[in-house]
Amino acid sequence: MSDDESEDAEEPAVELGDGPDVAGAPLSRVSARLTWGIEHSTIVDREGDTTIRTPDGPQELATVLEDVDVPYFADRQEFESAVRDVIGTGPVPTE
């Protein structure tokens, strides 16, 4: 590795601001903790009490999954797509 590469690695990739906190976890963080394929009920058992970020404010994942009729998710993309169909997309409000 060259000196230029090591200098870049020491600097943060994104500068964090001093703005307000965002309540809840990103959906991608929750889905990254799971192993795919997985049953709907297993997700509720493992991560149902996790609060996720949504455009309407923070919501418990179990509450969101009540509106998802898929019994089994083959992969992460299928799960995230089903959840986003319920919660929508858009900016997430800050506190």
Side-chain angles (χ1 to χ4, degrees), residues 25-55:
L27 180 60
S28 59
R29 182 182 306 153
V30 175
S31 61
R33 294 191 291 239
L34 300 168
T35 304
W36 304 99
I38 191 169
E39 294 178 337
H40 182 281
S41 60
T42 303
I43 295 173
V44 173
D45 291 343
R46 292 184 187 169
E47 296 290 339
D49 61 342
T50 301
T51 302
I52 61 170
R53 298 173 182 172
T54 75

Side-chain angles (χ1 to χ4, degrees), residues 12 22 45 53 73 77 82 87 89:
V22 178
D45 291 343
R53 298 173 182 172
F73 299 98
Q77 292 79 15
I87 65 172
T89 59

Side-chain angles (χ1 to χ4, degrees), residues 7-86:
E7 288 176 17
D8 290 340
E10 294 173 11
E11 296 178 20
V14 176
E15 188 172 320
L16 300 177
D18 294 327
D21 293 335
V22 178
L27 180 60
S28 59
R29 182 182 306 153
V30 175
S31 61
R33 294 191 291 239
L34 300 168
T35 304
W36 304 99
I38 191 169
E39 294 178 337
H40 182 281
S41 60
T42 303
I43 295 173
V44 173
D45 291 343
R46 292 184 187 169
E47 296 290 339
D49 61 342
T50 301
T51 302
I52 61 170
R53 298 173 182 172
T54 75
D56 295 327
Q59 295 183 37
E60 274 198 5
L61 183 58
T63 303
V64 172
L65 287 175
E66 289 175 359
D67 294 330
V68 175
D69 295 331
V70 179
Y72 181 85
F73 299 98
D75 56 34
R76 178 178 178 168
Q77 292 79 15
E78 182 180 8
F79 167 72
E80 290 183 4
S81 176
V83 171
R84 286 195 176 97
D85 285 347
V86 173

